[in-house]
């Protein structure tokens, strides 16, 4: 049985980081949090997260960047907006989660080979290049780059989709690709 | 004392205020330069001008040097204008021949470290004042007599206590209450925190005292519909709505209720929060004051169809107290002061829809539960669900409609305590497992934290987390048929599902829906959240910016019964202070009309925020009521002919000040 | 009532959600309302693009709004809930945040497209049916009697939060009202806006699976025989994994998952194939019972 020391010293906190996050669009009310826990209570994914949404907000406020950005929480967020809709302080938690996802990628703190950031990255690459997503190809690339076992579990579903005419094998692309936004400097590969 | 330069003899006094001023402004040199200004006879600097020796300086200069104008360069007039005016008066000068120059808040405190500039600024300000004061005229204070009668609006515990305090002091009080009985919200409670006193037991003696008191005129089912006048002389119109019963004749025997053609009570009982039923003729509750029934014209057959047997009239017999012809009665009264104690309304739990009030039958508001718990309530004190069974588990949710951007941002102050109280009482009545869900536990009063400890010892669950939703969603048999609360238990660090039989929503306190109309009637302000605004949040919590109108109780902000009674006593005593003084002084910084110059254009009348200007119909000219005038200067600025002027802000005075402060005057 | 709308299909409606497109076009045709697909539309970005790059995500979505504007329209219909939300959010955030506006503006300029992100209004077909066409018109066009059991209406997340134009914030009821006008019986349940997990069924499968299991189970517990939904990902999640749920949870759940456009279209006389009803993965027995070609005729009112 592993015994671990869990004391958190103030030198581990990043002063000023919370203010940086609070400047981002949608994150303005970050400091108003009264830690009531409504967000975690209503979040359908909170029971699967390592830190509940409420705890993430406090980690950000206290400047514990590594814990917040390396968490599974921000990736498990399904953007259902239940938290933002119920928060008594009207904190737009979903926007906070998106901001933390982007920070996690910038600082390379996301869990490696975790399917969700891989999916996001593959989606982004595909759409940035071609202007449309092709679901089947997207799922394949995501699985190959994170956990190939996923493909095996999806075989049954794949067959059903094919049978009912709901699977498109085309690689979609728009005509005027030059009108798409260029891949910005911030976006990095996630492998 | 004329205005001409020759006979004006000015004394200039520059205060060090310890180091507050002297630390930044070179007061010695300022005094030296001030001495050389035209009209200045003496120029001194002193450590603390507001002290006795400081004021004595002024007095002795008036004696010896025949000073007839006083300029004090020190702090803000808000602090000491009164002090120096009084000092001048004691020395035999008209108090309005003084003027204060603020070289602290306007100079030394805001230019710390800039000694040269601050000193120069002090010179400029004093020079301006010295020029101005040559044009000051002696002015007399006005006096307004205060009529002794008092109007108390709202008959809850605040109004009752204020009325009794005033009546006991020998003043005549009109107590006007909108409901058919006095008692307010407190009459509905079962027990009060933290002592668990029975609310009715402590309230009803005060209610009967009100009824019995020879100095109190009690008008229920009545509303104030118009207010005119000013402090000391308010003319109030009260409309008394008909209860269709002659109050003098009714003996409160309730035979009419017995005899009513409706054998079963069928209409929603307001006093019991709609949980019980009443008949068209009813008394709100057994200890209602006045002990008189009333008839609801929306429910009574005689009113709706005109064909009732009127068994009630028959039962009333010789007393003949029932009068279907009763109409609104308009009363006009004259009072000197008003105490507003109109109370609060509880937040409607439908405003927080994800708690399921109205969707799921067994979600209750706290007010409804107070009636269930009360032995004289609709269930005789049995805490039961809608189907009559007893709950085995109860969830009490704090902060419903409080601390919430979607409903009310403030904390309603009493809900944590009353939630603890309800937890105790429900447990006592039913033995159920109780869960209180809170964000913070607010127990600031005397005995409050100890009450919380008592509840902790009683084994009530305290879960720190705001319930996210109340649904009937059941994951397994243990949850079926129950209301499931999903909440993050932040202290144990679990997200939990807790099935309960009954949910109690601890709703917050908010202003009445018509608070804006009421405050307009009395010409006072409301804050952004809708509660009536006190004159100063710390130092003047019961008076308002409208002289003669006082506030008591939750209409000024959410508070519990001890604080309400304290505030009611304070409001009564401030009203008494006014009444016993018999008159109040009116500052003469008011506007006045130079009749010859007034063209009767009426521009000023609509502009006055205090309705202080009226038109003299015979002369067709404007006139200013100095009692209502607050000296804001709006009319003076707007008057096209310049016939409106303001004492202490005359044109010559202002122009001299401007000239004095400009660079080239140095 | 509008004469017609330009509509934005989104990537899902061309693959897993093809039945949504089929039934949407059929339903609107039966209501005499024209729908024109937006030319050369691009992917809205959904939730994934925003996770990588915020400014570009809004710019990506804004291109679609610009194209709508160029086509001479000021409104666009977005049936997919995620597309609806992204377009609607772009419209809002471009107005509220100068930094986002600046980036979107420069991207559109570089692409020679108009800056119309804040003047084009995004709408969802549910609310268009409710507000523009109206419950009464639908009732008047009903030509078939419902042959099936009671259904629950499942709204999902992104169409009903955080913007409240499609329906009210809590206790949503517009889908029920439309179905009621078409003679389709509905039952209420507490999970009508509980997230289906979105893409989680593809990434963390066990989590996504359970989120769908609880919705199916509660719907059944309340007596519903089918679920009616308005989002292609919700429909896919609830539809595609029921056999696996039966195996793992050992529960007998087998429910058809319809689009509201499918059931309304059927009530208004649409054919089973043109409504995409043959594309169901689960609940196929019930689908055959309620919607066969024979039933198309027999249920005529």
């Amino acid at each position: 049985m592993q015994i671990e020391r869990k004391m958190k010293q103030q030198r581990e906190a990043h002063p000023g980081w919370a203010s940086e996050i609070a400047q981002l669009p949608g994150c303005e009310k970050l400091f108003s949090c009264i830690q009531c826990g409504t967000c975690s209570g209503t979040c359908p994914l909170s029971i699967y997260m390592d830190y509940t949404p409420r705890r993430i907000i406090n980690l950000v406020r206290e400047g514990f960047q590594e814990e917040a950005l390396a968490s599974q929480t921000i990736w498990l967020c399904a953007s259902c907006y239940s938290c933002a809709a119920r928060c008594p302080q009207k904190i737009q938690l979903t926007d906070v989660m998106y901001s933390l996802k982007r920070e996690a990628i910038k600082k390379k703190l996301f869990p490696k080979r975790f399917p969700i950031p891989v999916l996001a990255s593959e989606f982004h690459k595909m759409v940035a290049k071609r202007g449309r997503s092709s679901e089947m190809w997207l799922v394949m690339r995501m699985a190959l780059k994170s956990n190939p076992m996923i493909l095996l579990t999806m075989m049954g579903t794949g067959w059903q989709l094919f049978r009912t005419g709901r699977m498109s094998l085309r690689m979609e692309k728009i005509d005027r690709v030059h009108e798409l936004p260029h891949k910005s400097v911030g976006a990095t590969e996630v492998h | 004392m004329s205005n001409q330069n020759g006979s004006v003899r000015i004394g200039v006094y520059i205060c060090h205020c310890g180091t507050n001023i002297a630390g930044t402004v070179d007061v010695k040199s300022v005094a030296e330069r001030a001495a050389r200004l035209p009209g200045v006879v003496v120029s001194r600097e002193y450590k603390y001008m507001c002290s006795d020796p400081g004021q004595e300086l002024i007095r002795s200069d008036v004696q010896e040097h025949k000073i007839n104008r006083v300029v004090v360069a020190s702090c803000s007039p808000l602090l000491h204008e009164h002090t120096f005016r009084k000092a001048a008066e004691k020395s035999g000068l008209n108090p309005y021949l003084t003027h204060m120059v603020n070289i602290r808040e306007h100079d030394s405190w805001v230019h710390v470290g800039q000694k040269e500039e601050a000193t120069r600024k002090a010179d400029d300000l004093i020079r301006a004042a010295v020029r101005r004061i040559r044009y000051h005229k002696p002015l007399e204070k006005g006096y307004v007599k205060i009529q002794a009668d008092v109007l108390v609006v709202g008959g809850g515990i605040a109004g009752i206590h204020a009325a009794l305090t005033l009546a006991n002091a020998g003043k005549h009080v009109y107590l006007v209450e909108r409901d058919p009985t006095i008692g307010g919200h407190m009459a509905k409670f079962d027990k009060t925190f933290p002592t668990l006193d029975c609310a009715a037991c402590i309230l009803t003696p005060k209610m009967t005292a009100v009824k019995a008191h020879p100095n109190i005129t009690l008008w229920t089912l009545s509303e104030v519909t118009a207010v005119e006048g000013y402090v000391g002389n308010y003319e109030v119109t009260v409309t008394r709505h008909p209860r269709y019963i002659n109050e003098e004749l009714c003996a409160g025997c309730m035979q009419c209720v017995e005899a009513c053609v409706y054998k079963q009570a069928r209409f929603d009982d307001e006093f019991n929060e709609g949980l019980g039923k009443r008949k068209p003729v009813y008394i709100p509750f057994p200890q209602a004051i006045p002990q008189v029934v009333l008839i609801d014209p929306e429910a009574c057959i005689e009113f709706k169809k005109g064909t009732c047997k009127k068994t009630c009239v028959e039962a009333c017999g010789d007393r003949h107290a029932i009068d279907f012809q009763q109409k609104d009665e308009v009363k006009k009264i004259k009072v000197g002061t008003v105490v507003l104690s109109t109370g609060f309304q509880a937040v409607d739990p439908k405003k927080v829809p994800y708690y399921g009030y109205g969707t799921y039958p067994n979600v209750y508001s706290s007010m409804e539960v107070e009636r269930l718990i009360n032995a004289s309530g609709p269930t005789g004190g049995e805490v039961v669900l809608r189907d009559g069974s007893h709950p085995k588990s109860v969830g009490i949710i704090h902060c419903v409609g409080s601390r919430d951007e979607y409903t009310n941002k403030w904390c309603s102050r009493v809900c944590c305590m009353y939630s603890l109280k309800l937890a105790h009482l429900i447990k006592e009545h039913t033995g159920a497992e109780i869960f209180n869900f809170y964000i913070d536990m607010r127990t600031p009063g005397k005995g409050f934290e100890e009450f919380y400890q008592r509840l902790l010892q009683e084994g009530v669950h305290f879960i720190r987390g705001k319930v996210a939703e109340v649904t009937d969603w059941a994951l397994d048999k243990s949850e079926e048929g129950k209301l499931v609360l999903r909440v993050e238990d932040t202290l144990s660090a679990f997200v939990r599902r807790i099935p309960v039989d009954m949910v109690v929503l601890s709703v917050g306190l908010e202003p009445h829906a018509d608070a804006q109309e009421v405050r307009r009637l009395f010409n006072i302000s409301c804050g952004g959240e809708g509660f009536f605004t006190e004159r100063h949040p710390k130092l003047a919590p019961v008076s308002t910016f409208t002289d003669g109108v006082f506030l008591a109780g939750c209409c000024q902000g959410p508070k519990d019964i001890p604080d309400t009674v304290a505030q009611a006593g304070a409001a009564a005593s401030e009203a008494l202070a006014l009444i016993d003084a018999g008159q109040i002084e009116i500052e003469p910084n008011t506007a006045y009309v130079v009749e010859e110059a007034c063209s009767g254009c009426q521009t000023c009348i609509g502009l006055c925020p205090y309705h202080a200007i009226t038109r003299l119909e015979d002369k067709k000219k404007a006139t200013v009521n100095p009692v209502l005038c607050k000296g804001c200067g709006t009319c003076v600025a707007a008057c096209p002919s310049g016939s409106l002027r303001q004492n202490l802000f005359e044109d010559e005075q202002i122009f001299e000040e401007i000239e004095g402060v400009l660079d080239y005057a140095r | 009532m509008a004469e017609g709308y330009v509509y934005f299909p989104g990537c899902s409606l061309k693959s897993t959600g093809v039945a949504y497109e089929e039934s949407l076009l059929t339903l609107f045709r039966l209501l005499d309302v024209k729908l024109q697909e937006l030319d050369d539309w691009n992917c809205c970005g959904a939730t994934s693009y925003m996770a990588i790059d915020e400014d570009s995500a809004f710019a990506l979505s804004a291109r679609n709004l610009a194209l709508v504007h160029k086509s001479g329209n000021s409104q666009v219909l977005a049936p997919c809930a995620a597309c609806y939300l992204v377009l609607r959010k772009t419209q809002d955030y471009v107005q509220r945040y100068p930094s986002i506006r600046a980036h979107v503006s420069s991207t559109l300029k570089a692409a020679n497209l108009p800056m119309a992100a804040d003047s084009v209004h995004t709408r969802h077909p549910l609310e268009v049916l409710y507000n523009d066409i109206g419950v009464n018109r639908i009732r008047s066009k009903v030509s078939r009697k419902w042959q099936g059991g009671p259904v629950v209406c499942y709204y999902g997340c992104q169409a009903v939060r955080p913007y409240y134009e499609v329906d009210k914030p809590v206790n949503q009821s517009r889908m029920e009202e439309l179905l009621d006008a078409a003679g389709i019986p509905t039952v209420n349940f507490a999970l009508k806006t509980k997230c289906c997990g979105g893409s989680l069924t593809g990434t963390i499968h066990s989590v996504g699976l359970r989120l769908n299991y609880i919705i199916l189970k509660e719907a059944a517990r309340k007596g519903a025989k089918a679920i009616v939904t308005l989002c292609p990902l919700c429909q896919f999640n609830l539809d595609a994994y029921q056999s696996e749920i039966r195996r793992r949870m050992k529960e007998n759940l087998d429910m058809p998952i319809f689009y509201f456009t499918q059931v309304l279209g059927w009530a208004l006389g649409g054919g089973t194939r043109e409504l995409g009803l043959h594309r169901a993965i689960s609940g196929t027995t019930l689908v055959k019972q309620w919607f066969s070609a024979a039933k198309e005729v027999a249920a005529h009112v």
Side-chain angles (χ1 to χ4, degrees), chain A residues 40-58:
Chain A
S40 313
T42 195
C43 173
L45 281 320
S46 63
I47 50 180
Y48 300 104
M49 292 169 172
D50 41 3
Y51 297 107
T52 55
R54 172 195 61 87
R55 279 185 79 184
I56 291 281
I57 298 289
N58 223 43

Side-chain angles (χ1 to χ4, degrees), chain A residues 29 34-38 40-44 46-47 52 54-55 84-90, chain B residues 354-355 402-406 438-440 464-469 486-490 493 495:
Chain A
K29 293 212 76 190
I34 54 176
Q35 289 286 297
C36 69
T38 302
S40 313
T42 195
C43 173
S46 63
I47 50 180
T52 55
R54 172 195 61 87
R55 279 185 79 184
R86 295 261 165 99
C87 173
Q89 297 299 316
K90 288 193 178 164
Chain B
Y354 47 90
Y355 285 151
S402 303
R403 304 186 71 186
D404 178 2
E405 291 267 339
Y406 290 101
Y438 67 99
I439 308 175
D440 292 291
R464 193 202 165 274
K466 186 161 197 265
V467 171
E469 63 204 20
R486 198 171 190 270
V487 63
E488 185 188 12
D489 176 349
T490 63
V495 174

Side-chain angles (χ1 to χ4, degrees), chain B residues 369 373 383 390-398 418-438 441 455-464 485 496 498-506:
Chain B
V369 174
I373 293 179
V383 179
H390 289 95
K392 302 246 180 0
S393 50
V394 179
I396 302 177
I397 304 180
H398 294 213
Y418 84 57
S419 302
L420 290 176
K421 173 194 79 173
L422 289 178
H424 169 83
L425 291 170
I426 297 175
K427 200 169 171 79
E428 194 178 61
H429 282 230
T430 62
E433 197 178 5
I434 318 275
F435 297 86
N436 278 54
F437 300 95
Y438 67 99
M441 193 55 82
L455 264 296
L456 284 167
Q457 286 297 319
E458 285 176 10
V460 170
H461 297 267
F462 284 99
I463 299 185
R464 193 202 165 274
L485 305 170
R496 292 171 68 168
I498 302 180
V500 294
D501 294 322
M502 181 183 197
V503 173
V504 180
L505 302 176
S506 295

Side-chain angles (χ1 to χ4, degrees), chain B residues 154-174:
Chain B
I157 181 64
I160 289 171
H161 185 80
L164 284 170
T165 308
L166 287 159
N168 286 337
K171 311 302 173 208
H172 180 245
V173 180
Y174 293 96

